[in-house]
């Protein structure tokens, strides 16, 4: 009887050890459950990522942090955007002193920075020379990123879609020539968590999106972080207020140079 009792106790102890081992193994690995239903078709995922309200204009106020070319800046940003390519970005101090204005529309830009006597402008291809801002020469794509909408590679040669249980996100990979696009999507199959563009094996731009802030059925990510490793640019935008529609009077994209400044036209060959 004593031998049987010890055997039963040993079996019970072994069961507890095994059960705790399973719990520890599960918790240490931290695997997320598969979405239900699970999306397996890359084309279907691409359709789900299309924004139904991508054409709506919007106004936003945000906190911004910028790191690049040995410069670190923090302040406030006012953003006005209207698809496809009308964009106005105002950067200010935390005490609302204007630092710079960048206005873009119809393939042209105007840029003014406090303390300069020149007000610069010209075709969008010249904008990166003065406005050190990621994707500044492609405002149509930049507007989409600020909205949390990812412009997918058109007609990719290869498409792959899988769910990463370790991170709890889908990974959509599109390849076209030497360009690879990696899009991370939440388990709902609609919310973009990030996108990485790789050209020739090197990361060209990396975007992280998190949270949501909405107005009247339209939404933007609460935080957008854009990094351009080759240029050493790192920009973080955290929205504090967001209004959809056309919440402004006049035309904010028709920026006139301030009085006392001299307009200087740039072309894409100037340094």
């Amino acid at each position: 009887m004593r031998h049987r009792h010890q055997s039963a106790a040993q079996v019970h102890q072994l069961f507890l050890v095994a059960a705790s081992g399973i719990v520890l193994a599960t918790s240490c690995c931290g695997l997320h459950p598969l979405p239900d239903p699970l999306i397996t078709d890359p084309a279907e995922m691409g359709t789900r990522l299309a924004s139904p309200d991508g054409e709506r204009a919007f106004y936003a106020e945000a906190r911004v942090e910028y790191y690049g070319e040995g410069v670190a800046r923090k302040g406030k940003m006012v953003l006005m955007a209207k698809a496809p390519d009308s964009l106005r970005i105002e950067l200010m101090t935390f005490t609302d002193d204007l630092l710079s204005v960048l206005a873009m529309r119809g393939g042209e830009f105007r840029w003014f920075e406090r303390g300069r006597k020149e007000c610069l402008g010209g075709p969008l291809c010249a904008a990166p020379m003065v406005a050190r801002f990621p994707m500044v020469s492609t405002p149509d794509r930049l507007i989409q990123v600020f909205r949390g909408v990812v412009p997918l590679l058109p007609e990719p040669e290869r498409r792959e879609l899988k769910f990463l249980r370790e991170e709890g996100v889908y990974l959509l990979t599109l390849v076209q020539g030497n360009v690879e696009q990696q899009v991370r999507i939440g388990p709902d199959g609609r919310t973009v968590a990030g996108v990485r563009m790789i050209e020739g094996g090197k990361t060209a731009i990396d975007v992280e999106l998190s949270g949501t802030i909405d107005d009247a059925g339209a939404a933007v990510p609460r935080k957008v972080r854009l990094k351009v490793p080759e240029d050493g640019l790192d920009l973080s935008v955290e929205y504090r207020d967001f209004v959809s529609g056309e919440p402004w009077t006049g035309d904010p994209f028709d920026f006139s140079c301030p009085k006392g400044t001299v307009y200087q036209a740039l072309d894409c060959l100037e340094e």
Side-chain angles (χ1 to χ4, degrees), residues 183-201:
V183 186
R184 301 160 66 83
I185 307 115
D188 62 356
R190 296 186 183 278
T191 306
V192 178
V195 58
R196 178 175 296 167
M197 299 298 299
I198 301 172
E199 298 181 11

Side-chain angles (χ1 to χ4, degrees), residues 5 24 27 43 63 75 79 95 99 104 117 155 167 188 193 199 206 242 248:
H5 178 71
L24 288 174
S27 61
R63 173 189 171 93
L79 181 69
T95 55
L99 295 175
M104 296 175 281
K117 295 182 180 180
E155 301 180 359
E167 303 177 36
D188 62 356
E199 298 181 11
D206 196 3
F242 167 71
W248 54 71

Side-chain angles (χ1 to χ4, degrees), residues 98-100 111-119 258 260-261:
L98 183 65
L99 295 175
S100 65
W111 182 80
F112 169 73
E113 185 177 31
R114 187 180 69 178
R116 292 185 63 117
K117 295 182 180 180
E118 304 85 9
C119 174
T261 63

Side-chain angles (χ1 to χ4, degrees), residues 88-160:
R88 179 181 176 123
I89 301 172
E90 297 182 0
L91 298 180
M92 299 176 290
T93 67
F94 288 118
T95 55
D96 293 330
D97 294 320
L98 183 65
L99 295 175
S100 65
V101 178
L102 173 65
M104 296 175 281
R105 181 175 61 185
E108 298 282 329
F109 82 97
R110 293 291 184 273
W111 182 80
F112 169 73
E113 185 177 31
R114 187 180 69 178
R116 292 185 63 117
K117 295 182 180 180
E118 304 85 9
C119 174
L120 306 175
L124 288 174
C125 52
M129 300 177 188
V130 293
R132 301 299 295 169
F133 204 89
M135 302 174 68
V136 72
S137 61
T138 53
D140 53 337
R141 299 196 326 194
L142 186 56
I143 290 172
Q144 290 180 298
V145 169
F146 278 135
R147 289 297 302 265
V149 178
V150 176
L152 300 178
L153 280 175
E155 301 180 359
E157 301 165 359
R158 179 167 59 88
R159 307 182 187 186
E160 295 180 358

